[in-house]
């Protein structure tokens, strides 16, 4: 897609610090890292989000994400890593070309994950039922 920045990175029209390339997947450094080494793993083909990705391509993205994670441990001494993916605007997706964030983590790096809450009494059972029904069960 001509107006997609990640497609332009794939085609070489925009520069990027590439870290790994396979025939169908590219990994490069995020321009605004949560921590140094924060890497984006994308399909070379334009797909907007996880739900649009063919299963085999999602598998390949997962494989490359794990390779990147191991490299973050080896090269940057990451003690852990977070894998994240924002899908759709409501979830904070800003670039509508599917991408997985691989974020290196260090002990006491001060980063906080999503704040967590509690279910009101009975709601956990109701939500579980809604999801099972949506998935074709009961
Ligand atoms: P999203 O919120 O869509 O999951 O995240 C998009 C990510 O792409 C952001 O973390 C942002 O810093 C990164 N990004 C946006 N534009 C560019 C760019 O031109 N080059 C690189 N390397 N990363 C970008
Ligand atoms: Zn694209």
């Amino acid at each position: 897609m001509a107006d997609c920045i990640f497609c332009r990175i794939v085609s070489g029209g925009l520069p990027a610090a590439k870290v790994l390339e396979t025939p169908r997947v590219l990994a490069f450094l995020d321009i605004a890292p949560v921590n140094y080494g924060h890497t984006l793993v994308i399909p070379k083909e334009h797909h907007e989000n996880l739900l649009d990705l063919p299963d085999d391509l999602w598998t390949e993205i997962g494989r490359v994400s794990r390779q990147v994670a191991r490299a973050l441990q080896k090269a940057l001494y990451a003690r852990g890593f977070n894998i994240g993916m924002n899908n759709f605007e409501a979830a904070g997706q800003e670039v509508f070309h599917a991408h997985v964030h691989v974020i290196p983590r260090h002990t006491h790096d001060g980063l906080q994950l999503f704040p967590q809450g509690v279910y009101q009494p009975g709601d956990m059972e109701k939500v579980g039922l809604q999801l099972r029904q949506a998935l074709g069960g009961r």
Side-chain angles (χ1 to χ4, degrees):
M1 260 180 81
D3 60 348
C4 169
I5 51 172
F6 287 177
C7 282
R8 286 172 62 198
I9 286 173
V10 170
S11 69
L14 264 183
K18 295 181 183 179
V19 299
L20 183 60
E21 188 166 4
T22 74
R24 299 180 76 196
V25 171
L26 181 67
F28 57 94
L29 295 184
D30 193 299
I31 204 167
V34 171
N35 274 331
Y36 270 33
H38 177 173
T39 298
L40 301 176
V41 181
I42 70 168
K44 289 184 176 175
E45 208 173 79
H46 184 89
H47 296 279
E48 274 197 27
N49 58 52
L50 175 58
L51 300 185
D52 296 329
L53 284 173
D55 286 349
D56 60 337
L57 192 48
W58 176 232
T59 299
E60 173 75 359
I61 289 169
R63 198 178 66 77
V64 169
S65 298
R66 293 207 301 191
Q67 282 181 280
V68 168
R70 288 192 190 99
L72 291 170
Q73 290 182 313
K74 190 172 167 183
L76 300 183
Y77 306 105
R79 297 298 299 269
F81 58 91
N82 292 112
I83 297 284
M85 187 175 193
N86 302 325
N87 290 281
F88 299 96
E89 200 174 343
Q93 186 174 5
E94 290 181 355
V95 177
F96 292 90
H97 179 132
H99 53 280
V100 165
H101 296 256
V102 187
I103 300 170
R105 297 297 306 273
H106 304 280
T107 310
H108 307 307
D109 64 11
L111 293 174
Q112 304 253 334
L113 295 179
F114 298 115
Q116 288 180 264
V118 290
Y119 281 106
Q120 294 305 308
D123 282 355
M124 200 174 191
E125 291 75 15
K126 275 188 217 158
V127 172
L129 178 62
Q130 284 175 301
L131 292 180
R132 285 194 298 281
Q133 285 174 340
L135 289 163
R138 25 183 329 202

